[in-house]
mmCIF file of all heavy atoms in Angstrom:
data_model
loop_
_atom_site.group_PDB
_atom_site.id
_atom_site.type_symbol
_atom_site.label_atom_id
_atom_site.label_comp_id
_atom_site.label_asym_id
_atom_site.label_seq_id
_atom_site.Cartn_x
_atom_site.Cartn_y
_atom_site.Cartn_z
ATOM 1 N N ARG V 21 -11.193 72.103 -67.909
ATOM 2 C CA ARG V 21 -12.593 72.423 -67.621
ATOM 3 C C ARG V 21 -12.774 72.650 -66.095
ATOM 4 O O ARG V 21 -13.550 73.483 -65.680
ATOM 5 C CB ARG V 21 -13.520 71.337 -68.133
ATOM 6 C CG ARG V 21 -14.977 71.561 -67.864
ATOM 7 C CD ARG V 21 -15.505 72.911 -68.328
ATOM 8 N NE ARG V 21 -15.288 73.133 -69.736
ATOM 9 C CZ ARG V 21 -15.400 74.331 -70.294
ATOM 10 N NH1 ARG V 21 -15.738 75.397 -69.632
ATOM 11 N NH2 ARG V 21 -15.202 74.452 -71.600
ATOM 12 N N VAL V 22 -11.987 71.954 -65.269
ATOM 13 C CA VAL V 22 -12.124 72.137 -63.830
ATOM 14 C C VAL V 22 -11.660 73.552 -63.453
ATOM 15 O O VAL V 22 -12.292 74.220 -62.669
ATOM 16 C CB VAL V 22 -11.251 71.122 -63.087
ATOM 17 C CG1 VAL V 22 -11.083 71.460 -61.605
ATOM 18 C CG2 VAL V 22 -11.909 69.694 -63.162
ATOM 19 N N PHE V 23 -10.601 74.020 -64.086
ATOM 20 C CA PHE V 23 -10.056 75.340 -63.701
ATOM 21 C C PHE V 23 -10.760 76.470 -64.461
ATOM 22 O O PHE V 23 -10.837 77.564 -63.929
ATOM 23 C CB PHE V 23 -8.568 75.408 -63.973
ATOM 24 C CG PHE V 23 -7.783 74.506 -63.017
ATOM 25 C CD1 PHE V 23 -7.025 73.487 -63.466
ATOM 26 C CD2 PHE V 23 -7.820 74.800 -61.662
ATOM 27 C CE1 PHE V 23 -6.320 72.704 -62.581
ATOM 28 C CE2 PHE V 23 -7.111 74.003 -60.759
ATOM 29 C CZ PHE V 23 -6.352 72.939 -61.234
ATOM 30 N N ARG V 24 -11.258 76.216 -65.644
ATOM 31 C CA ARG V 24 -11.836 77.312 -66.432
ATOM 32 C C ARG V 24 -13.358 77.186 -66.595
ATOM 33 O O ARG V 24 -13.945 78.004 -67.354
ATOM 34 C CB ARG V 24 -11.211 77.324 -67.818
ATOM 35 C CG ARG V 24 -9.738 77.563 -67.851
ATOM 36 C CD ARG V 24 -9.382 78.942 -67.533
ATOM 37 N NE ARG V 24 -9.902 79.810 -68.584
ATOM 38 C CZ ARG V 24 -9.789 81.080 -68.621
ATOM 39 N NH1 ARG V 24 -9.143 81.704 -67.660
ATOM 40 N NH2 ARG V 24 -10.310 81.792 -69.621
ATOM 41 N N GLY V 25 -13.962 76.240 -65.938
ATOM 42 C CA GLY V 25 -15.391 76.090 -66.070
ATOM 43 C C GLY V 25 -16.156 77.307 -65.637
ATOM 44 O O GLY V 25 -15.900 77.847 -64.554
ATOM 45 N N PRO V 26 -17.094 77.758 -66.452
ATOM 46 C CA PRO V 26 -17.750 79.023 -66.059
ATOM 47 C C PRO V 26 -18.680 78.859 -64.844
ATOM 48 O O PRO V 26 -18.912 79.783 -64.106
ATOM 49 C CB PRO V 26 -18.562 79.389 -67.299
ATOM 50 C CG PRO V 26 -18.659 78.155 -68.102
ATOM 51 C CD PRO V 26 -17.489 77.304 -67.740
ATOM 52 N N THR V 27 -19.210 77.650 -64.645
ATOM 53 C CA THR V 27 -20.100 77.413 -63.485
ATOM 54 C C THR V 27 -19.594 76.259 -62.651
ATOM 55 O O THR V 27 -18.732 75.490 -63.011
ATOM 56 C CB THR V 27 -21.530 77.088 -63.985
ATOM 57 O OG1 THR V 27 -21.491 75.836 -64.650
ATOM 58 C CG2 THR V 27 -22.084 78.165 -64.883
ATOM 59 N N THR V 28 -20.127 76.188 -61.474
ATOM 60 C CA THR V 28 -19.745 75.117 -60.589
ATOM 61 C C THR V 28 -20.219 73.747 -61.097
ATOM 62 O O THR V 28 -19.548 72.726 -60.898
ATOM 63 C CB THR V 28 -20.386 75.370 -59.172
ATOM 64 O OG1 THR V 28 -20.025 76.651 -58.735
ATOM 65 C CG2 THR V 28 -19.892 74.379 -58.160
ATOM 66 N N VAL V 29 -21.338 73.720 -61.812
ATOM 67 C CA VAL V 29 -21.814 72.474 -62.368
ATOM 68 C C VAL V 29 -20.854 71.934 -63.435
ATOM 69 O O VAL V 29 -20.598 70.734 -63.518
ATOM 70 C CB VAL V 29 -23.249 72.672 -62.952
ATOM 71 C CG1 VAL V 29 -23.729 71.405 -63.604
ATOM 72 C CG2 VAL V 29 -24.173 73.064 -61.847
ATOM 73 N N ASP V 30 -20.308 72.855 -64.240
ATOM 74 C CA ASP V 30 -19.292 72.454 -65.237
ATOM 75 C C ASP V 30 -18.067 71.831 -64.560
ATOM 76 O O ASP V 30 -17.533 70.824 -65.022
ATOM 77 C CB ASP V 30 -18.848 73.631 -66.084
ATOM 78 C CG ASP V 30 -19.907 74.105 -67.004
ATOM 79 O OD1 ASP V 30 -20.715 73.247 -67.473
ATOM 80 O OD2 ASP V 30 -19.988 75.307 -67.317
ATOM 81 N N ARG V 31 -17.684 72.409 -63.456
ATOM 82 C CA ARG V 31 -16.530 71.874 -62.729
ATOM 83 C C ARG V 31 -16.886 70.519 -62.140
ATOM 84 O O ARG V 31 -16.041 69.647 -62.093
ATOM 85 C CB ARG V 31 -16.154 72.838 -61.637
ATOM 86 C CG ARG V 31 -15.499 74.128 -62.207
ATOM 87 C CD ARG V 31 -15.032 75.051 -61.098
ATOM 88 N NE ARG V 31 -14.310 76.133 -61.721
ATOM 89 C CZ ARG V 31 -14.770 77.358 -61.804
ATOM 90 N NH1 ARG V 31 -15.954 77.668 -61.342
ATOM 91 N NH2 ARG V 31 -14.073 78.298 -62.390
ATOM 92 N N LEU V 32 -18.074 70.359 -61.612
ATOM 93 C CA LEU V 32 -18.496 69.080 -61.063
ATOM 94 C C LEU V 32 -18.536 67.997 -62.157
ATOM 95 O O LEU V 32 -18.082 66.892 -61.890
ATOM 96 C CB LEU V 32 -19.859 69.208 -60.416
ATOM 97 C CG LEU V 32 -20.463 67.907 -59.838
ATOM 98 C CD1 LEU V 32 -19.608 67.423 -58.708
ATOM 99 C CD2 LEU V 32 -21.880 68.140 -59.369
ATOM 100 N N VAL V 33 -18.992 68.297 -63.321
ATOM 101 C CA VAL V 33 -19.023 67.355 -64.414
ATOM 102 C C VAL V 33 -17.598 66.981 -64.822
ATOM 103 O O VAL V 33 -17.284 65.841 -65.099
ATOM 104 C CB VAL V 33 -19.829 67.922 -65.634
ATOM 105 C CG1 VAL V 33 -19.609 67.068 -66.853
ATOM 106 C CG2 VAL V 33 -21.267 68.009 -65.266
ATOM 107 N N ALA V 34 -16.687 67.979 -64.797
ATOM 108 C CA ALA V 34 -15.280 67.671 -65.127
ATOM 109 C C ALA V 34 -14.658 66.770 -64.093
ATOM 110 O O ALA V 34 -13.859 65.857 -64.458
ATOM 111 C CB ALA V 34 -14.510 68.986 -65.249
ATOM 112 N N VAL V 35 -14.970 66.984 -62.856
ATOM 113 C CA VAL V 35 -14.440 66.081 -61.784
ATOM 114 C C VAL V 35 -14.995 64.690 -61.935
ATOM 115 O O VAL V 35 -14.297 63.699 -61.777
ATOM 116 C CB VAL V 35 -14.727 66.653 -60.399
ATOM 117 C CG1 VAL V 35 -14.447 65.631 -59.307
ATOM 118 C CG2 VAL V 35 -13.891 67.946 -60.175
ATOM 119 N N ASP V 36 -16.266 64.601 -62.323
ATOM 120 C CA ASP V 36 -16.846 63.291 -62.592
ATOM 121 C C ASP V 36 -16.171 62.600 -63.749
ATOM 122 O O ASP V 36 -15.943 61.377 -63.709
ATOM 123 C CB ASP V 36 -18.365 63.448 -62.839
ATOM 124 C CG ASP V 36 -19.076 62.118 -63.010
ATOM 125 O OD1 ASP V 36 -18.701 61.169 -62.279
ATOM 126 O OD2 ASP V 36 -20.012 62.044 -63.833
ATOM 127 N N ILE V 37 -15.870 63.328 -64.787
ATOM 128 C CA ILE V 37 -15.131 62.764 -65.905
ATOM 129 C C ILE V 37 -13.767 62.260 -65.471
ATOM 130 O O ILE V 37 -13.333 61.199 -65.883
ATOM 131 C CB ILE V 37 -15.037 63.782 -67.047
ATOM 132 C CG1 ILE V 37 -16.415 64.040 -67.719
ATOM 133 C CG2 ILE V 37 -14.023 63.329 -68.137
ATOM 134 C CD1 ILE V 37 -16.437 65.188 -68.644
ATOM 135 N N MET V 38 -13.111 63.044 -64.591
ATOM 136 C CA MET V 38 -11.780 62.607 -64.149
ATOM 137 C C MET V 38 -11.850 61.313 -63.290
ATOM 138 O O MET V 38 -10.949 60.500 -63.384
ATOM 139 C CB MET V 38 -11.128 63.736 -63.341
ATOM 140 C CG MET V 38 -10.736 64.897 -64.253
ATOM 141 S SD MET V 38 -10.011 66.303 -63.366
ATOM 142 C CE MET V 38 -8.359 65.721 -63.162
ATOM 143 N N THR V 39 -12.928 61.179 -62.530
ATOM 144 C CA THR V 39 -13.065 59.933 -61.777
ATOM 145 C C THR V 39 -13.315 58.771 -62.717
ATOM 146 O O THR V 39 -12.839 57.622 -62.485
ATOM 147 C CB THR V 39 -14.196 60.006 -60.745
ATOM 148 O OG1 THR V 39 -15.412 60.274 -61.415
ATOM 149 C CG2 THR V 39 -13.903 61.064 -59.712
ATOM 150 N N THR V 40 -14.043 59.011 -63.787
ATOM 151 C CA THR V 40 -14.280 57.943 -64.811
ATOM 152 C C THR V 40 -12.970 57.605 -65.513
ATOM 153 O O THR V 40 -12.682 56.413 -65.754
ATOM 154 C CB THR V 40 -15.317 58.401 -65.829
ATOM 155 O OG1 THR V 40 -16.513 58.753 -65.129
ATOM 156 C CG2 THR V 40 -15.606 57.323 -66.852
ATOM 157 N N ILE V 41 -12.171 58.593 -65.785
ATOM 158 C CA ILE V 41 -10.838 58.357 -66.430
ATOM 159 C C ILE V 41 -9.936 57.547 -65.473
ATOM 160 O O ILE V 41 -9.257 56.598 -65.903
ATOM 161 C CB ILE V 41 -10.173 59.684 -66.799
ATOM 162 C CG1 ILE V 41 -10.934 60.370 -67.944
ATOM 163 C CG2 ILE V 41 -8.723 59.530 -67.144
ATOM 164 C CD1 ILE V 41 -10.511 61.803 -68.192
ATOM 165 N N THR V 42 -10.000 57.867 -64.217
ATOM 166 C CA THR V 42 -9.217 57.138 -63.231
ATOM 167 C C THR V 42 -9.621 55.693 -63.136
ATOM 168 O O THR V 42 -8.799 54.790 -63.016
ATOM 169 C CB THR V 42 -9.309 57.819 -61.854
ATOM 170 O OG1 THR V 42 -8.901 59.206 -61.990
ATOM 171 C CG2 THR V 42 -8.407 57.149 -60.828
#
Side-chain angles (χ1 to χ4, degrees):
R21 181 53 56 195
V22 167
F23 290 117
R24 300 287 295 180
T27 65
T28 307
V29 176
D30 289 329
R31 290 183 173 107
L32 178 63
V33 169
V35 169
D36 185 36
I37 290 169
M38 291 177 80
T39 60
T40 304
I41 290 169
T42 304

